Amino acid sequence: MNRLLILIIMVISIAGNSVAQNSYERIAGGNMPDWFRHVLPTSDGGCITAGDTRSFGFGDINNTDGYAVKWNSQGDTLWTRHFGTVNNEEAVSSIENANGYFIVGYNVSATNGYDFYVAQYDVSGNYIGENFYGGSGSEAALAAVAVPGERLALSGYSTTYTNGGTDMYFITVDNQGAQVHDGHFGGAGNETALGMTRTSDGGFVGIGYSNSTDPNYNIYVVRVDSDLNLVWAKDFGTGLEDVGFDVAEDGLGNLWLLGYETISPDSSYMVLIKTDANGENAVTLHPATHAGDLGNSIRRTADGGFIIAGVTGVLGMGSQILLEKLAANGDTVWTRRFGGSMNEYGNAAGVDADGNLYIAGETDGFGISAFDGYLVKVDADGNTPCPAEVSFEMSSDEICEDQTIFFTNTTVSSQQFLWEVNGNSFSDDVNAGYYFSEGGNYQVTLEACSANASQLVV
């Protein structure tokens, strides 16, 4: 006999501990896929994320626009912006300045096709201006760092300024937006910078990949001075495919090169290579928990160690964001995972002045829409935020005897969940199903930390 489900939704939100108050998990986007590629903690206690969108502007199923979201200290969205044309554009970095923020990436100019691109917005998100940098070919900025004096340094690749296919390409920009220096580095093959850092001597190090000396890609590292003159360039690799994603400098001037290395045709590992300032005396570490883990971003922490943001596989749950804390010597201190029931990917890490940690990436695991931008803020120990409230949906609004109802958790949280029917626990999975053998009154409850939501089945 059919019985109507009368849905009485009760959400109880109780203030949790300090983790709940100071940390959060958030998603942003529209009805198409959207991603975050970078996160920057800002001086107002919030942060800004940059990436790409298919939901807004000229974005569609085949093309992306650059995308930026400004957040306050509590994880509320203050404003969103996008840029682009009918072609593919992307925002890869954000930098704070005295007037607001630079959003860096690549865009299509009126004359030259893809160029390095910098858009400037004030603190309220009002557009101030833009600049394009490049030649007659294609240039794409894939990383950027701030330089004292309201200046910028950008890196990526160029097909205009090249010794072969593509070259790793650097430019510096003054506080008026004018290009000051540029430099390109590579051989007869293809080179690209995926990450960069400013070094303690005022120069820069770029990291990415090259196939000029090996048909398979090697990790390619270039060190330049403040005027973008070459200091040295080196390859690191196993003989199979190897790629570098990001680089950090420690307090002694050593470089920490983050990427992946392939050790067999079907097996790759996260790799962290420590070198001295000259790229010598390399020591190779494998900080990941298992094969297939990737590290995409490395940042130094106040205690002299590092955090790595990336992705890890989870049995039965696809992939999740990986956050790994390393000591100053590269030893793993702890690892954390964040995500829902399907797939997440961590692209960028950030550290604010108070030691809080940020991870930005993408998710399709929270039952809302396919691939949204995903932002996580945690304390210095990486504790999972407690949600302020929880929510779920049911697969049917009617029930028969001998019927299974499926419950989809729509809470944006990586916390451990508990499902109950009439006070009896039946699952600790993110989503759940329950077999109702007979009619009656059933109260289904979802709990996480001190928040819970109930629906009454009659």
Side-chain angles (χ1 to χ4, degrees):
M1 174 174 136
N2 290 334
R3 296 177 181 267
L4 181 65
L5 288 177
I6 303 175
L7 307 181
I8 303 176
I9 303 175
M10 179 175 58
V11 178
I12 303 176
S13 300
I14 303 174
N17 55 27
S18 61
V19 174
Q21 294 171 340
N22 297 325
S23 304
Y24 55 76
E25 297 180 64
R26 298 289 186 268
I27 63 172
N31 58 5
M32 300 284 284
D34 309 285
W35 303 266
F36 292 146
R37 307 295 187 190
H38 184 261
V39 58
L40 174 74
T42 50
S43 59
D44 60 3
C47 69
I48 189 167
T49 50
D52 45 292
T53 177
R54 290 183 174 169
S55 297
F56 309 115
F58 285 100
D60 58 30
I61 191 63
N62 297 312
N63 299 286
T64 61
D65 266 14
Y67 182 45
V69 181
K70 180 66 178 73
W71 311 79
N72 68 13
S73 61
Q74 301 303 309
D76 300 318
T77 300
L78 298 180
W79 47 262
T80 64
R81 298 294 182 266
H82 54 84
F83 65 80
T85 67
V86 294
N87 299 288
N88 280 304
E89 286 84 18
E90 184 172 307
V92 300
S93 188
S94 48
I95 293 173
E96 189 170 10
N97 61 74
N99 296 316
Y101 310 99
F102 294 116
I103 306 300
V104 178
Y106 58 88
N107 199 352
V108 177
S109 70
T111 57
N112 296 330
Y114 287 110
D115 277 340
F116 281 23
Y117 178 71
V118 178
Q120 187 169 8
Y121 299 89
D122 68 17
V123 293
S124 299
N126 298 308
Y127 172 78
I128 297 175
E130 64 184 10
N131 285 286
F132 297 83
Y133 309 94
S136 59
S138 292
E139 283 73 41
L142 301 176
V145 294
V147 181
E150 301 292 308
R151 296 175 294 153
L152 308 175
L154 288 67
S155 65
Y157 72 82
S158 173
T159 65
T160 305
Y161 312 107
T162 177
N163 297 313
T166 62
D167 266 15
M168 188 178 286
Y169 186 51
F170 291 72
I171 69 168
T172 56
V173 177
D174 68 16
N175 58 10
Q176 300 300 310
Q179 181 174 314
V180 179
H181 299 290
D182 75 339
H184 65 95
F185 312 95
N190 295 301
E191 284 77 30
T192 292
L194 299 176
M196 72 182 302
T197 191
R198 183 172 180 268
T199 51
S200 54
D201 63 0
F204 308 94
V205 174
I207 187 172
Y209 57 83
S210 169
N211 67 352
S212 288
T213 61
D214 188 327
N216 295 304
Y217 284 111
N218 286 327
I219 296 172
Y220 185 55
V221 183
V222 170
R223 184 166 193 149
V224 296
D225 64 18
S226 58
D227 295 331
L228 304 186
N229 298 306
L230 179 65
V231 177
W232 52 257
K234 296 183 184 295
D235 282 17
F236 301 86
T238 62
L240 298 174
E241 184 173 274
D242 308 285
V243 174
F245 294 123
D246 204 3
V247 55
E249 184 187 49
D250 66 20
L252 300 175
N254 300 306
L255 300 176
W256 295 75
L257 316 174
L258 177 65
Y260 78 82
E261 64 179 19
T262 304
I263 60 173
S264 70
D266 58 356
S267 184
S268 62
Y269 281 81
M270 184 195 305
V271 64
L272 185 63
I273 303 171
K274 176 187 176 183
T275 77
D276 61 23
N278 296 314
E280 302 290 345
N281 301 309
V283 177
T284 298
L285 306 171
H286 295 98
T289 53
H290 54 72
D293 288 356
L294 289 177
N296 294 315
S297 177
I298 184 169
R299 294 291 182 270
R300 193 173 173 212
T301 51
D303 60 3
F306 304 93
I307 57 165
I308 291 174
V311 61
T312 183
V314 181
L315 184 64
M317 298 179 68
S319 62
Q320 289 193 327
I321 284 179
L322 173 68
L323 179 66
E324 188 156 3
K325 177 68 171 71
L326 305 182
N329 65 356
D331 289 344
T332 298
V333 179
W334 48 255
T335 59
R336 304 285 189 264
R337 301 197 310 262
F338 302 93
S341 60
M342 296 179 69
N343 292 289
E344 283 74 36
Y345 202 91
N347 292 316
V351 183
D352 70 15
D354 296 322
N356 297 304
L357 311 178
Y358 298 75
I359 318 101
E362 57 204 64
T363 176
D364 71 346
F366 290 113
I368 297 172
S369 64
F371 283 112
D372 282 319
Y374 182 29
L375 173 66
V376 182
K377 177 186 176 183
V378 298
D379 62 20
D381 295 320
N383 294 307
T384 304
C386 284
E389 59 184 35
V390 296
S391 60
F392 65 96
E393 298 175 348
M394 298 195 293
S395 61
S396 175
D397 60 359
E398 293 185 351
I399 189 171
C400 298
E401 296 177 359
D402 300 322
Q403 182 178 351
T404 299
I405 298 294
F406 296 97
F407 306 97
T408 301
N409 188 344
T410 55
T411 311
V412 181
S413 176
S414 304
Q415 275 290 347
Q416 181 66 58
F417 291 95
L418 178 67
W419 296 90
E420 296 179 346
V421 169
N422 289 344
N424 297 311
S425 301
F426 70 92
S427 177
D428 58 4
D429 293 333
V430 176
N431 302 310
Y434 188 82
Y435 171 68
F436 294 90
S437 60
E438 58 185 27
N441 296 333
Y442 299 93
Q443 186 174 32
V444 179
T445 302
L446 173 65
E447 299 178 356
C449 297
S450 56
N452 64 71
S454 296
Q455 298 193 29
L456 186 64
V457 181
V458 179

